[in-house]
Amino acid sequence: MSAGTQPQRQQTRAALAGWFGTTVEFYDFFVYGLAASLLFPKVFFPAADPVVGTLISLSSFGVGYVARPFGALLFGHLGDRLGRKSILVTTLMMMGVATTAIGLLPSYGTLGIAAPILLVALRIVQGVSLGGESSGAVLLTVEHADQRRRGFFGGILNTGTAVGTILANAMFLLVARLPEDAQLAWGWRIPFLVSVLLVVAGLVIRLGLRESPEFADVKGAGAVHKLPLVDVLRRCGGTVVLVTLATLGAGVTITVSSVYVLTYGKTELGVSTSTMIDVLLPGLFVVVIGAPLYGRLADRIGPKTVFVTAAVAMVVLSFAWFPLLNTGNPWLMFLGFALLFAGYAANFAMFPVFFSEAFPVSLQFSGMAIGFTLGTILGNAFAPAISASLLESTGTWVSIAAYMAVAWALTAVGGLLLRPAPSEQPEVLREASGAPAA
């Protein structure tokens, strides 16, 4: 059964499964980022100088991104060999177990040096999980969707990243209202332990979903690749590089604007964490509202046009955001976030349909997983630490804005050069995968 003949109920359920899983994964991932920015320097790295402790803690946030290629390689290979559904159940369980374990982990004061070592190990598990989840959720959604509505469904899917980030920030907004000693003693654990409920709900939805119809067609044609990781690099290596470039701008921007900004607000603007989150969260709703609308637009004029136009606009918006942020006026700060996220949403909403079309179906999981993961390592992983270092060395926000703008310029170049992969017929699929002819 092709995606075009899929029952509407199954298309909707696939979109819900992808969206919910993405929401949970990004909630878990960014809960760690917020904790690393605000509380972990004292809970797990208290032996260091306060500034050094913060940099070490933010670097531990980046370790999760460094681990993502291992998940991308492993789950990309298995996803193109075994299918999408089973991989996505596995990745969601891994993330849930790791996040819950972090919430139960004793502090440095109890375990000593073993505490930060275990923390980093669990962060690695989170990263491996997300390396497979990000691309798998895209394919689960897009491959079930009707060809004429893939931009719309992809836009809905990518609101999950904003919703996950909103939920993570909302939980820390509640934690931030506790006395500091309560935050450090037990309050920081609450956002991690809440993840258990979200993971269980996500698993219930995913377990009831059918396999991707496009992968079923590949499997039915006897065209599953024996070594998809090797074949995708051999056949689509240039495309992998372009997808990597095309993810940089969104990765840098969302990480700086939702993780590092809390440290920036506290140290440079004298704005409390709760006040900063109060203006950040409404801004993120621009992504939730805008991404599906941009997806509908992409279904009419093409995802490439929307993707590249948004990337170019973000070069300018990177410099517009900081002056509004620096006013310290909540309404102007909110306006800055709204403008920044409006451009970000237009670009990020295109990822599912634009990137999936760049690879042949038989190699989509591997190709997207590798390209997207490499891009997030270069874009997201150390953006908070790089931003802190730039501000420390230059003394001005302009250096951070320039860092964001360069990332967006590279994204625009990658988007301009990306091309859709030609469709594969069963005979071509079998020949390319090394399978014997029928």
Side-chain angles (χ1 to χ4, degrees):
M1 180 182 290
S2 66
T5 58
Q6 279 275 91
Q8 182 63 41
R9 182 178 178 182
Q10 192 67 197
Q11 293 187 42
T12 303
R13 183 160 191 165
L16 178 61
W19 175 85
F20 201 94
T22 299
T23 299
V24 173
E25 292 271 353
F26 275 84
Y27 168 84
D28 288 354
F29 211 68
F30 276 101
V31 156
Y32 187 101
L34 292 165
S37 179
L38 300 172
L39 298 173
F40 281 177
K42 295 182 179 179
V43 175
F44 289 104
F45 306 99
D49 172 86
V51 175
V52 175
T54 299
L55 287 173
I56 294 174
S57 185
L58 289 174
S59 295
S60 76
F61 171 73
V63 167
Y65 286 100
V66 174
R68 286 179 67 164
F70 298 99
L73 293 172
L74 173 63
F75 293 120
H77 172 81
L78 294 176
D80 282 332
R81 290 279 296 163
L82 305 177
R84 308 345 185 181
K85 176 183 170 179
S86 59
I87 298 305
L88 290 173
V89 170
T90 301
T91 57
L92 187 58
M93 289 182 65
M94 284 178 60
M95 180 66 86
V97 169
T99 303
T100 303
I102 290 173
L104 298 173
L105 189 64
S107 68
Y108 182 94
T110 302
L111 282 186
I113 192 63
I117 291 174
L118 288 172
L119 178 70
V120 172
L122 291 168
R123 180 61 174 170
I124 290 171
V125 175
Q126 283 189 322
V128 170
S129 167
L130 197 57
E133 170 70 25
S134 299
S135 299
V138 165
L139 296 180
L140 189 73
T141 300
V142 171
E143 291 180 355
H144 275 85
D146 185 280
Q147 188 73 38
R148 296 168 298 178
R149 302 185 70 196
R150 289 188 168 183
F152 174 67
F153 278 115
I156 290 178
L157 168 70
N158 271 9
T159 65
T161 62
V163 173
T165 306
I166 289 170
L167 290 176
N169 278 275
M171 289 301 300
F172 266 92
L173 184 61
L174 295 176
V175 172
R177 299 193 188 284
L178 295 171
E180 185 175 4
D181 58 345
Q183 294 180 41
L184 296 174
W186 54 268
W188 68 268
R189 300 180 185 277
I190 296 173
F192 291 93
L193 298 178
V194 165
S195 173
V196 176
L197 302 176
L198 300 176
V199 169
V200 170
L203 287 173
V204 169
I205 296 171
R206 286 190 173 178
L207 287 170
L209 190 66
R210 297 173 185 170
E211 181 54 84
S212 153
E214 291 193 357
F215 178 79
D217 290 344
V218 170
K219 191 172 182 180
V224 174
H225 287 255
K226 295 179 179 178
L227 295 171
L229 285 178
V230 175
D231 291 341
V232 76
L233 294 175
R234 178 172 56 86
R235 295 180 53 195
C236 311
T239 302
V240 170
V241 172
L242 292 177
V243 169
T244 298
L245 286 177
T247 61
L248 293 179
V252 170
T253 293
I254 193 61
T255 311
V256 170
S257 62
S258 61
V259 175
Y260 173 70
V261 74
L262 300 181
T263 299
Y264 179 84
K266 192 172 184 179
T267 60
E268 298 301 313
L269 306 180
V271 175
S272 68
T273 298
S274 58
T275 299
M276 186 61 76
I277 294 177
D278 283 341
V279 293
L280 168 63
L281 292 190
L284 281 169
F285 277 101
V286 173
V287 180
V288 177
I289 297 169
L293 298 178
Y294 289 125
R296 289 288 298 271
L297 179 63
D299 287 331
R300 295 183 179 182
I301 68 174
K304 182 172 186 172
T305 301
V306 180
F307 182 94
V308 174
T309 301
V312 172
M314 285 299 293
V315 173
V316 177
L317 288 174
S318 298
F319 288 96
W321 176 50
F322 274 100
L324 291 168
L325 192 66
N326 290 342
T327 64
N329 181 299
W331 289 106
L332 292 177
M333 293 169 73
F334 165 70
L335 175 62
F337 278 112
L339 290 172
L340 190 75
F341 289 145
Y344 164 82
N347 180 267
F348 187 57
M350 300 302 105
F351 279 25
V353 61
F354 191 38
F355 292 168
S356 62
E357 288 179 349
F359 296 97
V361 173
S362 58
L363 296 171
Q364 274 182 347
F365 206 139
S366 298
M368 287 188 62
I370 297 171
F372 181 72
T373 300
L374 290 176
T376 53
I377 291 172
L378 297 175
N380 303 58
F382 299 106
I386 290 173
S387 298
S389 297
L390 285 172
L391 187 64
E392 179 70 20
S393 61
T394 66
T396 174
W397 60 266
V398 175
S399 60
I400 305 175
Y403 166 49
M404 295 167 65
V406 169
W408 280 111
L410 292 172
T411 287
V413 172
L416 282 170
L417 297 177
L418 269 178
R419 299 286 186 272
S423 59
E424 295 180 310
Q425 300 303 316
E427 295 79 9
V428 178
L429 280 169
R430 284 194 295 271
E431 180 182 353
S433 65

